[in-house]
Amino acid sequence: MDKVILLAGTANPRLATAIAQQLNIPLGASVVERFPDGEISVELLESVRQKAVFIVQSTSPPVNDHLVELMVIVDACRRAAASRITAIVPYFGYARADKRHGWREPITASMVAEVLQTVGINHVVTLDLHTPQIEGFFHIPVDSLTAVPILCEALRHRLPSGFVVVSPDTGRVQMAIQYAQQLNSSVVVLLKHRKSSSETEVTCVVGDVSDRPCLIIDDMISTGGTIARSIEALLKAGAHPEMIIAATHGLFVKKARAQLSHPSVQAIFVTDTIAPKETDWQQLHVVSIAPLIAAAIQQFKTDDSINKVC
Ligand code: R5P
């Protein structure tokens, strides 16, 4: 493979730096700023000609800014004759807009995929996509890694005996099974009903939680509403008031911290796909995915299978 250059957008420079350290290479020199009117200004301070460029940028909130920033960096690399451009998008924003719920709705995840390809991305690496079929919105290779093994390692010695893995909705059952297999437990599924775009309720607990501590897993925590409703339903169904939460992407928007500050919550584990905002939250544990991403880039360098690092 051509020489590698690792560039960072502004979504999570700390993660990009950690990946560079793991790879033992310096972070590529670039300046990403805003013009006075808010438009994005990018300058690459070193040549990328015939280099394999990897750009680390989660499209996390503010999602539109981070998305356009990624596109502008890609455009700069393409015009500067990079040989290959790989977007490392640890958190893929708009992933939940993956289907139409009504007649006059967009499929925004599909549109984002189209736009990213149009600007010149050759390859995407992402993590725990909301739904695997999002890969199908791309015509270029997409490697969707998973943080489940990393989170399981972090959780392994923190889990109370007799715990069950809880999927907060039917969409997360496969992920819950992965956790249960790796942590040697069983799965309980909650049936979630969406009352509005911001409000959900649990209509049924499928499985026995009587007197059992719970590990509630999810791909992402946004407002914390899904987890908060899950806790209420599990306690109502007789679960032991000892809840551990694990999710790949910790967005923690709006009143998420208040929603998750329930006395039964012992610990919350997320990864650093999104730059952590909360530094004084005792229950919050952030596990780095930098070694995983670095291992994936290493596989690119040697043209080896990414499957080996998953
Ligand atoms: C929904 O399908 C997702 O997997 C998450 O459960 C959801 O997006 C989390 O959002 P919030 O924390 O706002 O409930």
Side-chain angles (χ1 to χ4, degrees), residues 96 130 169 172 192 218-226:
R96 286 175 288 182
H130 180 62
D169 51 40
R172 229 35 61 197
K192 179 170 94 175
D218 212 341
D219 59 330
M220 67 179 85
I221 300 172
S222 182
T223 63
T226 297

Side-chain angles (χ1 to χ4, degrees), residues 30-213:
S30 64
V31 181
V32 181
E33 287 177 334
R34 294 287 180 277
F35 287 112
D37 60 359
E39 291 176 354
I40 293 161
S41 141
V42 167
E43 191 185 355
L44 306 180
L45 302 178
E46 62 183 287
S47 169
V48 296
R49 182 171 298 276
Q50 292 310 309
K51 308 270 169 42
V53 177
F54 292 81
I55 304 163
V56 182
Q57 176 81 328
S58 276
T59 48
S60 52
V63 55
N64 300 333
D65 280 9
H66 287 155
L67 178 62
V68 176
E69 205 181 86
L70 172 61
M71 289 155 51
V72 174
I73 300 171
V74 171
D75 191 69
C77 293
R78 187 172 51 81
R79 290 177 194 282
S83 63
R84 255 190 103 60
I85 303 171
T86 302
I88 310 269
V89 190
Y91 169 74
F92 187 85
Y94 285 115
R96 286 175 288 182
D98 62 346
K99 58 176 122 21
R100 295 207 302 163
H101 299 277
W103 289 108
R104 287 175 293 276
E105 287 187 10
I107 303 180
T108 315
S110 165
M111 183 209 71
V112 169
E114 285 294 338
V115 168
L116 290 179
Q117 290 167 108
T118 307
V119 288
I121 288 170
N122 304 113
H123 203 131
V124 175
V125 176
T126 185
L127 215 81
D128 288 324
L129 269 180
H130 180 62
T131 46
Q133 58 266 32
I134 289 171
E135 281 188 36
F137 296 154
F138 289 90
H139 311 294
I140 55 174
V142 176
D143 287 304
S144 183
L145 309 176
T146 177
V148 172
I150 292 178
L151 284 164
C152 283
E153 262 334 289
L155 286 160
R156 202 170 295 283
H157 302 293
R158 303 289 303 256
L159 293 162
S161 65
F163 77 95
V164 285
V165 178
V166 177
S167 171
D169 51 40
T170 51
R172 229 35 61 197
V173 173
Q174 277 310 319
M175 185 181 244
I177 292 171
Q178 285 177 34
Y179 273 95
Q181 283 173 342
Q182 293 183 37
L183 296 168
N184 203 16
S185 181
S186 52
V187 172
V188 166
V189 181
L190 307 185
L191 301 190
K192 179 170 94 175
H193 168 67
R194 189 161 281 286
K195 287 159 87 179
S196 70
S197 60
S198 57
E199 247 192 302
T200 59
E201 64 177 346
V202 175
T203 54
C204 186
V205 177
V206 183
D208 185 14
V209 292
S210 320
D211 216 22
R212 308 278 296 268

